[in-house]
């Protein structure tokens, strides 16, 4: 595989992040969201989490080929150390190990920022995402049944979580 570098995301990456996110939205495999995102949306998200929650990109040459990032799980202060994450790889780069690098980078950055848990929700049929999370020590907590509709159809969601043990004793 070509050299892939993982680094922290910055606002200059907003358009590439939006483009890759929109592929995932269009594929109907990853999210209940159906509304496409703009660079401005992604910039606002990056600014809102800066220094508190992790966001990383995968870069090959000068191209961004994937991203992973977290947002607060809930607004309440007691939950500030829990990040709810998303991960998206550009279509032409999927199943080539990029998600693996990205998730490793996201966990490392989450640890550096003091988070004690990462969690996410995955569609049951999203085998790649479930395999990736399993590989990185995520536990499947259970299934939210008929959690939301996607294009009018109820879709379940598998909840996954991973503790960041280094930050549990701080
Ligand atoms: C899910 C996603 C982030 C995984 O990233 P990726 O770069 O494709 O995955 P990797 O190549 O790093 O593979 C990670 C693991 O998943 C497995 N995997 C990859 N593609 C797979 C597929 N199509 N079906 C089943 N397992 C798959 C790999 O075998 C690997 O596990 P292993 O090393 O134990 O064999 C990526 O496919 C993607 O962006 N999908 C669309 C958006 C999405 O579903 N995001 C997640 C929302 S919850």
């Amino acid at each position: 595989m070509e050299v892939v570098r993982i680094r922290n995301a910055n606002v200059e990456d907003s358009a590439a992040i939006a483009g890759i996110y929109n592929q995932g939205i269009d594929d109907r495999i990853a999210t209940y969201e159906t509304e496409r995102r703009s660079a401005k949306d992604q910039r606002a998200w990056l600014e809102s989490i800066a220094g508190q929650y992790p966001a990383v990109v995968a870069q090959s040459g000068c191209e961004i080929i994937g991203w992973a990032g977290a947002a607060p799980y809930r607004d309440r202060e007691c939950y500030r150390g829990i990040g709810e994450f998303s991960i998206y790889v550009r279509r032409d780069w999927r199943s080539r190990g990029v998600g693996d690098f990205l998730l490793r980078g996201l966990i490392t950055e989450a640890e550096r920022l003091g988070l004690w848990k990462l969690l996410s929700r995955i569609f049951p049929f999203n085998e790649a995402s479930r395999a990736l999370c399993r590989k990185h020590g995520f536990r499947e907590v259970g299934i939210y049944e008929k959690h939301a509709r996607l294009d009018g159809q109820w879709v379940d969601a598998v909840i996954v979580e991973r503790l960041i043990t280094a930050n549990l004793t701080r």
Side-chain angles (χ1 to χ4, degrees):
M1 189 164 82
E2 295 94 308
V3 176
V4 173
R5 189 165 73 94
I6 305 297
R7 62 165 173 80
N8 284 337
N10 63 63
V11 292
E12 306 301 319
D13 303 317
S14 303
I17 289 174
I20 294 167
Y21 194 4
N22 289 334
Q23 290 186 347
I25 290 172
D26 292 347
D27 291 340
R28 300 295 199 261
I29 194 179
T31 173
Y32 295 108
E33 288 286 340
T34 52
E35 207 166 301
R36 303 181 104 239
R37 298 301 164 98
S38 65
K40 198 172 154 206
D41 295 330
Q42 297 314 114
R43 186 186 181 103
W45 164 65
L46 285 170
E47 286 172 348
S48 74
I49 62 164
Q52 298 180 71
Y53 294 90
V56 294
V57 291
Q59 190 168 344
S60 171
C62 54
E63 286 183 63
I64 304 298
I65 58 171
W67 64 273
Y73 160 68
R74 294 277 193 278
D75 286 341
R76 289 168 60 184
E77 170 59 21
C78 58
Y79 296 130
R80 88 190 137 65
I82 305 178
E84 183 155 16
F85 79 96
S86 302
I87 181 163
Y88 288 81
V89 173
R90 209 173 74 183
R91 270 188 206 125
D92 55 332
W93 277 86
R94 289 180 197 162
S95 301
R96 292 166 68 181
V98 177
D100 193 20
F101 290 147
L102 276 168
L103 193 50
R104 190 172 313 145
L106 188 79
I107 293 166
T108 302
E109 184 59 7
E111 180 172 337
R112 192 187 69 79
L113 290 165
L115 301 196
W116 59 76
K117 182 183 285 194
L118 284 172
L119 57 78
S120 193
R121 280 168 282 120
I122 307 177
F123 291 156
F125 46 83
N126 192 341
E127 295 298 342
S129 188
R130 290 178 74 174
L132 177 64
C133 286
R134 266 197 300 275
K135 188 174 175 182
H136 286 271
F138 284 81
R139 177 174 78 94
E140 294 195 347
V141 178
I143 296 178
Y144 283 130
E145 285 184 41
K146 299 181 173 33
H147 203 47
R149 284 193 176 102
L150 178 60
D151 297 328
Q153 301 294 317
W154 290 109
V155 181
D156 295 349
V158 180
I159 313 154
V160 295
E161 70 167 13
R162 185 193 190 281
L163 293 171
I164 299 172
T165 45
N167 291 333
L168 289 172
T169 49
R170 282 190 185 173

